[in-house]
Amino acid sequence: MSTLQATQTRTAFGRANDRFLSRHASMVPSFAAVAVLLVLLVAAQLYFGNFVTPRNMSALLLDNAYLMVIAVGMTFVILTAGIDLSVGSVMAFTGILLATFLSNGLPTVVAVPLILAAGAAIGLLIGILVQYFNVQPFIASLAGLFLARGLAFVVSLQSIRVEDDSLLWLQSTRFTIGNWYITPTGIIALLSVVVGALVLQYTRFGRTIYAVGGNEQSARLMGLKVGRTKILVYVISGTLAGVAGVILTAYSGAGYPRNGIGTELDAIAAVVIGGTLLSGGRGYVLGSMVGVFVYGTIKAIISFMGAEQSWMQIIIGALLLLFILIQRFIVSRSERRE
Amino acid sequence: MKALMRHRLFWPIVALLALVAVNTIARPQFIKITLRDGQLYGALIDIMRNCAPLMLVALGMTIVIATRGIDLSVGAVMAVSGAVALTIIDGSSDPNNLGTVLVAIVVAIFAALILGTFNGVLVARLGIQPIVATLVLMLAGRGVALLITGGFITTVNSDPFSYLATGYLVGVPFAFIIALIAIVLLALFERRTALGMLTESVGINPEASRLAGVRSRGIIFSAYMLSGLLAGVAGLIYSANIRAADANSAGLFIELYAILAVVLGGTSLMGGKFSIAGTVIGVLIIETLDSTILFLGVSSAQSPVFFALVVVLVVIVQSPRLRTFRRRRRADVVPPPVSTPEKVEAGA
């Protein structure tokens, strides 16, 4: 009798466990990313002894602020089952444009909105191609990549130094708490994560993005504004790439047309590692933030070890593969359930 | 005339001829081919030689795209194969030995095949989206190439190896002959056997072709292997041309240009019907455009602006929206009954 009861409770518990897993299946990859980040940090701390220090952790945010901003925009796009390859080039274009404007004596308050508008315009172009001309996001954003990269070189073939105080302030100011510090660029990055997460979770627009990514046809039949949403995500991604251009220009103190080659791949990798499915409809901005931290931690570990940066690409590739396999497993499980 | 205009290669050929015509008017020596020391010279010959790596990569891409896939890793595979070949030649005592060079070439192509197999396993066996699956190698491949060369740009002076890119055979650039052989072999295999039709059927409807008894997994698998193989050969030609293995810039952006060439040639990225001749014309358009832009005195760094405009123009011309618009004007009747809710929404 008691054994029977025991089995019953166990199966009940097992069922509840199963139900929890299936209900929160979309969160599992993000939790896996958090686990990977913790393992990386603990292992690095044990190995080096002086890795997890306030200084290093603050630098992690500072060094990857531009990537985090881009990853937020990329998450929006990928959630609609799209992709934006143009972000790295848009970052370079807006960065060099900003440096040119500033060196020509334009005040920062005028120059920054102008270049953000330029980023948004390229995003709008991609969105219109995707929505109104049925171009695949891959190809449409490829056109954006070429356009922005070429325009960056049209603006200037050489790097341009920035001596504008208000822009450099973004980088040089450090708000400190003990040994921790945060720069305005870091605050911008965190702010974009928070706003992105809130928009996706609690606004009509955000929920529409998930609906479009889950099943575009159903979303349309439900009367959701699919077209507007799909165009807007590319505009958001382009604008955030512009913000990243501002951050990177402040960070490096110069605009350079060759900046950000391959940044779109880093951003996609960070987003995927953070648990967003490339097939759309599932994922979190907070996960992407964790993905960027994983990326940054690996980079920091490699430079700590003095190893060659080529390992960076290999390890990121391997991690990407691992997370794709995890996602594949989860998706096939939930498909079997249905 | 109407039938001719409706042929799917009509507009790509017109674009190519228009480019050649514009160039010829702007600089008459463009069209001139001279024979010096038994070797052909001229702007057109240069285009033929320079197009070889892109041609090889684009051919492989055509087959992959026909299966509804995409291969982003081709540039990285090029970097790896160049790095492998040059490291072997560099390490040998006699870089000019033909045997050494042959060994290097075989090993490099073998390495490229392994990478292609890796992509094939991910896509065909594990069922991962092609964009994601090949992204892994696109990221990691250049790292592998850098490891092979030890982080340096390996340079060698090996005459037999340079022959791949700069040599001439019966007056024609050897690189172009390699590309030509690849075109002919691929056309024979795809069009004179059932392979091409099976590839298209897999691309049009994988599930239906599986039920019809087509071994779709094997076909998809072999497409990625082929793409890896051709990218490997392209990497050899590229590194033979600059006599160096540059892991960072070898084949940079070539996946994008290859995809562009395939799309220019009229093959849809949705998979299914493909055109090898279209891809060849697409590659020639890109190379001619590139040479035109250089001639115009535009810095090669700025040329992407032109390519962006070409991409936008081509996709808009190919888009269903413009096509229905044209059809509506021609027939002057209400458009066909295939209007999906999508179009209703977009029009609203």
Side-chain angles (χ1 to χ4, degrees):
Chain A
M1 181 67 189
S2 64
T3 41
L4 187 68
Q5 220 162 15
T7 21
Q8 269 174 347
T9 20
R10 201 178 305 141
T11 47
F13 175 74
R15 232 179 286 132
N17 197 21
D18 269 9
R19 217 179 309 134
F20 176 83
L21 264 183
S22 67
R23 194 173 292 163
H24 299 276
S26 64
M27 280 183 163
V28 172
S30 297
F31 284 132
V34 174
V36 166
L37 180 60
L38 289 179
V39 167
L40 277 176
L41 288 176
V42 169
Q45 174 64 19
L46 290 178
Y47 187 78
F48 299 114
N50 59 344
F51 188 81
V52 186
T53 59
R55 247 184 99 78
N56 279 340
M57 293 302 103
S58 306
L60 200 59
L61 178 62
L62 172 65
D63 293 340
N64 296 292
Y66 76 96
L67 188 62
M68 193 175 290
V69 174
I70 283 184
V72 171
M74 187 66 83
T75 312
F76 274 71
V77 175
I78 291 180
L79 278 176
T80 64
I83 202 151
D84 189 353
L85 299 179
S86 71
V87 285
S89 303
V90 171
M91 178 174 76
F93 168 52
T94 51
I96 191 86
L97 197 60
L98 178 64
T100 312
F101 280 161
L102 292 180
S103 68
N104 286 340
L106 221 60
T108 317
V109 282
V110 181
V112 169
L114 272 179
I115 65 131
L116 292 186
I122 292 178
L124 182 67
L125 172 78
I126 298 171
I128 287 175
L129 283 178
V130 169
Q131 177 55 29
Y132 288 114
F133 292 98
N134 274 334
V135 182
Q136 284 183 328
F138 188 87
I139 295 298
S141 60
L142 176 60
L145 183 157
F146 278 139
L147 183 67
R149 182 63 66 192
L151 285 176
F153 283 108
V154 170
V155 172
S156 166
L157 287 170
Q158 281 95 34
S159 82
I160 298 177
R161 274 182 63 80
V162 172
E163 274 141 20
D164 183 85
D165 289 332
S166 51
L167 188 70
L168 295 176
W169 173 85
L170 287 176
Q171 171 64 22
S172 51
T173 319
R174 302 206 166 174
F175 306 109
T176 50
I177 307 168
N179 281 327
W180 295 79
Y181 68 86
I182 189 165
T183 57
T185 54
I187 294 175
I188 294 173
L190 290 182
L191 208 62
S192 68
V193 170
V194 171
V195 171
L198 290 178
V199 165
L200 279 180
Q201 212 60 34
Y202 296 112
T203 65
R204 179 183 298 241
F205 170 63
R207 301 321 291 174
T208 307
I209 289 178
Y210 279 102
V212 170
N215 189 330
E216 194 176 326
Q217 198 65 25
S218 309
R220 194 165 278 139
L221 292 174
M222 281 164 70
L224 298 176
K225 292 189 167 116
V226 174
R228 205 182 67 178
T229 307
K230 275 173 78 180
I231 292 178
L232 257 181
V233 292
Y234 290 99
V235 174
I236 288 173
S237 179
T239 314
L240 286 179
V243 174
V246 176
I247 292 178
L248 194 68
T249 307
Y251 179 75
S252 55
Y256 184 48
R258 270 183 208 287
N259 271 338
I261 291 181
T263 298
E264 62 278 356
L265 301 179
D266 294 339
I268 294 169
V271 169
V272 171
I273 289 172
T276 301
L277 256 61
L278 275 156
S279 44
R282 286 183 187 181
Y284 304 94
V285 167
L286 288 176
S288 301
M289 181 182 78
V290 176
V292 171
F293 278 131
V294 169
Y295 176 91
T297 307
I298 294 173
K299 211 169 186 173
I301 290 176
I302 287 172
S303 71
F304 249 66
M305 289 169 65
E308 284 181 43
Q309 281 299 319
S310 49
W311 280 107
M312 180 73 202
Q313 294 162 311
I314 297 175
I315 293 172
I316 289 292
L319 258 189
L320 190 64
L321 180 62
L322 177 75
F323 276 82
I324 289 164
L325 292 177
I326 293 176
Q327 291 188 357
R328 178 74 206 149
F329 175 69
I330 290 166
V331 169
S332 66
R333 248 177 71 134
S334 63
E335 269 168 7
R336 261 207 308 275
R337 254 166 233 278
E338 284 158 16
Chain B
M1 186 62 202
K2 234 176 198 164
L4 187 73
M5 269 186 73
R6 224 175 278 158
H7 193 276
R8 60 178 171 162
L9 289 185
F10 179 73
W11 288 111
I13 290 176
V14 166
L16 181 59
L17 290 181
L19 267 177
V20 172
V22 166
N23 272 291
T24 313
I25 293 166
R27 42 170 176 164
Q29 75 272 27
F30 177 81
I31 201 88
K32 210 155 58 181
I33 296 173
T34 53
L35 191 68
R36 240 183 293 154
D37 310 332
Q39 296 177 352
L40 294 170
Y41 284 94
L44 289 177
I45 301 295
D46 284 344
I47 289 175
M48 277 166 144
R49 180 176 42 226
N50 295 338
C51 79
L54 182 61
M55 186 75 83
L56 293 168
V57 169
L59 286 174
M61 191 71 81
T62 309
I63 304 301
V64 170
I65 286 178
T67 66
R68 267 197 196 181
I70 203 151
D71 188 352
L72 300 182
S73 69
V74 282
V77 174
M78 276 179 71
V80 170
S81 97
V84 168
L86 285 203
T87 308
I88 292 175
I89 295 174
D90 190 40
S92 77
S93 51
D94 181 15
N96 280 321
N97 187 333
L98 188 63
T100 317
V101 171
L102 283 181
V103 168
I105 289 174
V106 169
V107 174
I109 289 180
F110 190 68
L113 262 181
I114 292 176
L115 297 180
T117 311
F118 176 79
N119 284 333
V121 168
L122 290 185
V123 176
R125 289 282 149 204
L126 301 177
I128 295 168
Q129 266 177 292
I131 286 191
V132 195
T134 52
L135 182 65
V136 171
L137 209 51
M138 184 185 189
L139 277 172
R142 285 189 192 281
V144 172
L146 272 172
L147 275 192
I148 293 172
T149 59
F152 300 106
I153 297 178
T154 311
T155 55
V156 295
N157 279 315
S158 163
D159 291 336
F161 191 64
S162 307
Y163 182 79
L164 274 182
T166 49
Y168 281 84
L169 192 68
V170 289
V172 182
F174 188 63
F176 185 67
I177 292 181
I178 298 177
L180 216 55
I181 293 172
I183 295 169
V184 171
L185 279 183
L186 194 65
L188 280 181
F189 270 108
E190 295 286 343
R191 293 306 185 203
R192 286 287 168 261
T193 69
L195 187 62
M197 196 188 67
L198 295 180
T199 307
E200 290 184 345
S201 83
V202 168
I204 291 167
N205 192 333
E207 188 57 19
S209 43
R210 192 185 63 78
L211 292 174
V214 179
R215 290 166 64 187
S216 50
R217 275 189 174 184
I219 285 175
I220 295 174
F221 200 102
S222 58
Y224 286 91
M225 284 186 70
L226 175 76
S227 176
L229 170 77
L230 289 172
V233 179
L236 289 176
I237 296 177
Y238 178 87
S239 56
N241 192 30
I242 62 169
R243 293 163 181 257
D246 185 350
N248 280 320
S249 65
L252 189 67
F253 291 145
I254 199 163
E255 57 278 347
L256 307 181
Y257 285 105
I259 294 167
L260 177 59
V262 174
V263 175
L264 281 176
T267 301
S268 161
L269 278 168
M270 306 301 283
K273 295 231 171 271
F274 66 93
S275 165
I276 293 172
T279 298
V280 172
I281 293 169
V283 170
L284 291 177
I285 290 177
I286 289 179
E287 288 294 338
T288 314
L289 188 60
D290 206 32
S291 131
T292 313
I293 293 169
L294 270 182
F295 169 72
L296 290 176
V298 179
S299 153
S300 69
Q302 296 168 345
S303 67
V305 175
F306 289 84
F307 284 105
L309 296 179
V310 172
V311 176
V312 170
L313 204 69
V314 168
V315 294
I316 287 181
V317 167
Q318 283 188 351
S319 78
R321 171 170 283 263
L322 198 73
R323 226 170 265 168
T324 44
F325 176 71
R326 271 202 309 241
R327 206 177 302 143
R328 202 178 310 176
R329 278 189 47 174
R330 207 176 298 144
D332 212 21
V333 287
V334 186
V338 283
S339 75
T340 53
E342 188 178 39
K343 279 174 190 151
V344 174
E345 208 278 336

